Amino acid sequence: MLGAVVHLVRGAHVGFVLAREGALALVDSAELPPHLRFVLRIGRMLERRGLGVGAGPLQRALTRLGPSYVKFGQFLATRPDIVGMAAARDLETLQDRVPPFPQETAIRLVEAALGKPVAHLFVSFSPPIAAASIAQVHKAHCLDLDGNERVLAIKIMRPGVRERFQRDLQVMRFMARVVHVLSPKAERLRPREVVEILARSVMMEMDFRLEAAAMSELAQNTRDDADFRVPKPDWELTARDVLASEWIEGIRLNDRAAIVAAGHDPKALGRAVIQSFLRHAIRDGFFHADMHPGNLFVDPTGTLVAVDFGIMGRLGHMERRFLAEILLGFILRDYKRVAQVHFEAGYVPAHHSVEDFAQAIRAIGEPIHQRKADEISMAKVLTLLFDITALFDMSTRTELVMLQKTMVVVEGVARSLDPQLDMWTGAEPVVRSWIARNLGPVGRVESLGRAALTITDVVSDLPDLAQRLRRILVRLDERGSSDAGRLDAFARAERKRAIWSTVALWGIAIGALVMAFR
């Protein structure tokens, strides 16, 4: 009971801040029952004056609420399917910047995580270079076994951050249950599911061993890519609360003037950004889902380098084929094929017409071919496509929504480097290469091989499955006679209980009528 009161007080504080900063304006009152519309009107009365200038309402509110809510807001910015496009746009530029914690604390945390004094681990250990809600980064020098000096980025978990996130999660879970009780119709917005998705995402991000694994996997996938690379993690100096990786000397992609001054080609970099992302998504099925300019560098050799692997996305073979074929379909204006891909993937129910769906897709595709290539937004096409599919009962695909949202960011980065970049010309080689490799003769032979292995596994398991089935049938037969008596007794008891429950309900109803007419 006391815990519920504490959660209610904290939840009320969150609601007050959201109302005060004008975030309740993003709530569609038409979706609410009458009593909650009244509560919304009361909340809107708390808004501060002059909120039309500066950051958006959700940005202001979450920044005031603290680092936990800032991190949640950044995650929700990648999920417009949950919070809506207006809220997602508001959250896109949410800044995750907080003051660093003291150097002494950082040293103590590193020593506790790695079990050795910092002086024994590193030749030098700098003050914090950057700080965010979950962690901060230091620059360190160390010697390898051959006596060669290496420069590392040391990412350290902020002290107390897990406890603070767990406390805030409990408040969110409590408020999600309250929303469900007050308005069952609001379950369409999936408030409890939203909280659990946030919980899983953030708690995974708080184990740096998992981030190191993501970094290692992406590095392995891209080891042969000439225009993209990933810093290497140092597993010996990595633990749950500490992540050591190669230090990147480079220029952030949001500093175009410095890129030009260093002699790099912005147009080539813009093309590398879009092609690298598509290779990771389509070729590998594993992509960096937070590719904003602050996480992308160009090193002295002109190679694109990504950092910060806390948020990653995955696509299965079917989703990769779906993405490749719809992009190629729009490039070739083959709208019938784009429609068929949706049906083959099972994304659109079979009772709809492929021809009708192709007609709807044509309404997206034809206008883009009437414009110059550098004016066409690939991300906007995917956004419109998902809007159209909603009319045809296409269920939300979390991985595709994250992909589309990341593509919006990636396209913005690429166009900031080369405003005239033809996204479709840049994408076509990657898309065609994957389709030729996976849907051509070689890919079909490999698919047949995988299918044959699956069938072989099933056939080899048949004797064991038959034995298990036989044992189950014997046990069911042995229990049948004894269970029959129990079932009869249970049925008789249930009938008696139903009769007495009905009598009791009628008694209550009659009593209520008598009291009403007195």
Side-chain angles (χ1 to χ4, degrees):
M1 182 64 183
L2 181 60
V5 172
V6 172
H7 293 332
L8 186 60
V9 171
R10 288 174 176 164
H13 170 68
V14 172
F16 174 78
V17 173
L18 290 171
R20 190 71 174 149
E21 298 298 334
L24 297 184
L26 297 172
V27 178
D28 185 1
S29 60
E31 300 287 339
L32 300 176
H35 62 286
L36 290 185
R37 288 182 204 165
F38 175 74
V39 173
L40 181 63
R41 283 198 297 271
I42 297 297
R44 293 294 305 275
M45 294 171 63
L46 299 174
E47 288 181 8
R48 292 189 294 112
R49 296 183 182 276
L51 292 178
V53 180
L58 277 175
Q59 283 191 52
R60 292 191 300 266
L62 296 178
T63 301
R64 276 189 60 184
L65 288 168
S68 300
Y69 291 92
V70 168
K71 179 56 65 177
F72 293 156
Q74 288 179 319
F75 176 79
L76 287 175
T78 68
R79 296 301 307 274
D81 58 315
I82 293 176
V83 299
M85 285 304 300
R89 281 193 294 268
D90 186 2
L91 295 169
E92 280 177 356
T93 57
L94 190 62
Q95 298 298 307
D96 187 11
R97 295 195 183 100
V98 295
F101 51 86
Q103 178 81 347
E104 297 76 17
T105 303
I107 292 173
R108 188 179 69 250
L109 291 170
V110 170
E111 293 177 344
L114 302 180
K116 292 181 181 179
V118 164
H120 292 176
L121 295 168
F122 307 110
V123 176
S124 66
F125 189 80
S126 78
I129 304 296
S133 59
I134 285 182
Q136 67 186 35
V137 177
H138 298 248
K139 185 177 183 179
H141 293 74
C142 69
L143 299 176
D144 60 21
L145 296 177
D146 298 325
N148 299 315
E149 185 174 292
R150 293 184 299 140
V151 186
L152 298 175
I154 308 298
K155 189 175 182 179
I156 307 170
M157 186 73 63
R158 184 172 288 274
V161 70
R162 285 192 185 85
E163 294 74 15
R164 185 165 62 246
F165 269 88
Q166 285 294 342
R167 183 195 68 195
D168 292 335
L169 276 172
Q170 292 305 318
V171 174
M172 290 183 177
R173 287 186 175 111
F174 176 79
M175 296 310 296
R177 291 196 297 270
V178 169
V179 169
H180 175 67
V181 170
L182 291 177
S183 176
K185 288 185 179 180
E187 193 63 19
R188 186 186 68 80
L189 302 175
R190 299 173 290 169
R192 293 177 293 181
E193 181 184 341
V194 169
V195 174
E196 295 309 317
I197 291 173
L198 289 171
R200 288 194 299 271
S201 172
V202 173
M203 295 317 293
M204 284 189 67
E205 197 173 347
M206 288 186 184
D207 189 333
F208 288 156
R209 294 168 298 189
L210 299 180
E211 182 173 343
M215 188 186 307
S216 175
E217 182 176 351
L218 191 61
Q220 182 177 350
N221 292 343
T222 60
R223 62 187 180 276
D224 296 326
D225 294 353
D227 55 359
F228 181 91
R229 71 182 184 92
V230 174
K232 297 176 182 177
D234 188 320
W235 290 102
E236 294 297 322
L237 297 174
T238 293
R240 188 182 69 157
D241 293 340
V242 174
L243 169 60
S245 62
E246 172 192 359
W247 178 265
I248 299 300
E249 289 290 351
I251 305 170
R252 292 184 188 272
L253 289 199
N254 55 5
D255 192 348
R256 194 177 189 279
I259 290 172
V260 173
H264 301 302
D265 183 355
K267 293 185 177 182
L269 281 173
R271 187 168 56 252
V273 169
I274 189 67
Q275 289 187 343
S276 295
F277 170 70
L278 288 174
R279 278 198 300 266
H280 304 163
I282 297 175
R283 181 192 66 191
D284 307 324
F286 187 60
F287 60 93
H288 195 309
D290 194 19
M291 288 183 70
H292 62 75
N295 284 340
L296 294 172
F297 294 79
V298 54
D299 71 9
T301 68
T303 303
L304 187 66
V305 187
V307 299
D308 193 354
F309 304 89
I311 304 176
M312 304 296 292
R314 285 193 185 275
L315 297 176
H317 183 81
M318 181 63 73
E319 289 79 23
R320 289 150 65 188
R321 175 177 176 176
F322 171 79
L323 176 62
E325 292 219 52
I326 63 172
L327 289 178
L328 187 61
F330 275 110
I331 291 170
L332 300 178
R333 302 169 82 167
D334 187 352
Y335 308 119
K336 180 77 174 290
R337 182 57 192 153
V338 175
Q340 288 172 335
V341 169
H342 282 76
F343 282 81
E344 290 171 3
Y347 294 161
V348 178
H351 65 265
H352 287 292
S353 165
V354 174
E355 288 72 19
D356 289 345
F357 191 42
Q359 179 184 349
I361 292 173
R362 181 179 291 273
I364 300 171
E366 282 305 297
I368 71 174
H369 288 284
Q370 308 303 316
R371 306 178 68 182
K372 291 189 296 184
D374 60 358
E375 296 177 347
I376 301 169
S377 167
M378 187 186 303
K380 186 176 182 181
V381 167
L382 288 180
T383 301
L384 292 172
L385 179 63
F386 291 159
D387 289 343
I388 287 291
T389 55
L391 300 175
F392 289 82
D393 305 318
M394 177 175 167
S395 57
T396 300
R397 304 287 302 188
T398 302
E399 64 276 19
L400 293 179
V401 171
M402 179 174 281
L403 173 91
Q404 179 266 335
K405 192 64 179 176
T406 307
M407 188 172 284
V408 171
V409 177
V410 169
E411 187 174 270
V413 174
R415 283 262 165 84
S416 70
L417 293 164
D418 180 10
Q420 280 74 48
L421 179 63
D422 181 349
M423 305 297 295
W424 298 92
T425 301
E428 186 172 1
V430 179
V431 174
R432 282 191 181 276
S433 173
W434 189 89
I435 288 179
R437 174 67 181 78
N438 290 271
L439 302 184
V442 175
R444 293 183 185 280
V445 169
E446 290 181 350
S447 297
L448 286 173
R450 287 193 296 267
L453 286 174
T454 301
I455 293 172
T456 302
D457 290 341
V458 171
V459 171
S460 63
D461 288 341
L462 282 178
D464 184 51
L465 291 172
Q467 289 291 335
R468 293 182 186 179
L469 180 60
R470 182 179 179 183
R471 286 195 291 269
I472 291 171
L473 291 174
V474 169
R475 289 175 184 173
L476 288 175
D477 187 53
E478 290 174 350
R479 294 179 181 177
S481 56
S482 59
D483 288 346
R486 292 182 197 170
L487 287 173
D488 288 341
F490 179 76
R492 287 195 297 271
E494 285 299 309
R495 281 197 295 271
K496 289 181 181 179
R497 188 177 294 111
I499 292 170
W500 284 111
S501 297
T502 304
V503 170
L505 287 172
W506 276 107
I508 293 170
I510 293 170
L513 287 172
V514 170
M515 294 292 292
F517 285 106
R518 278 188 176 180

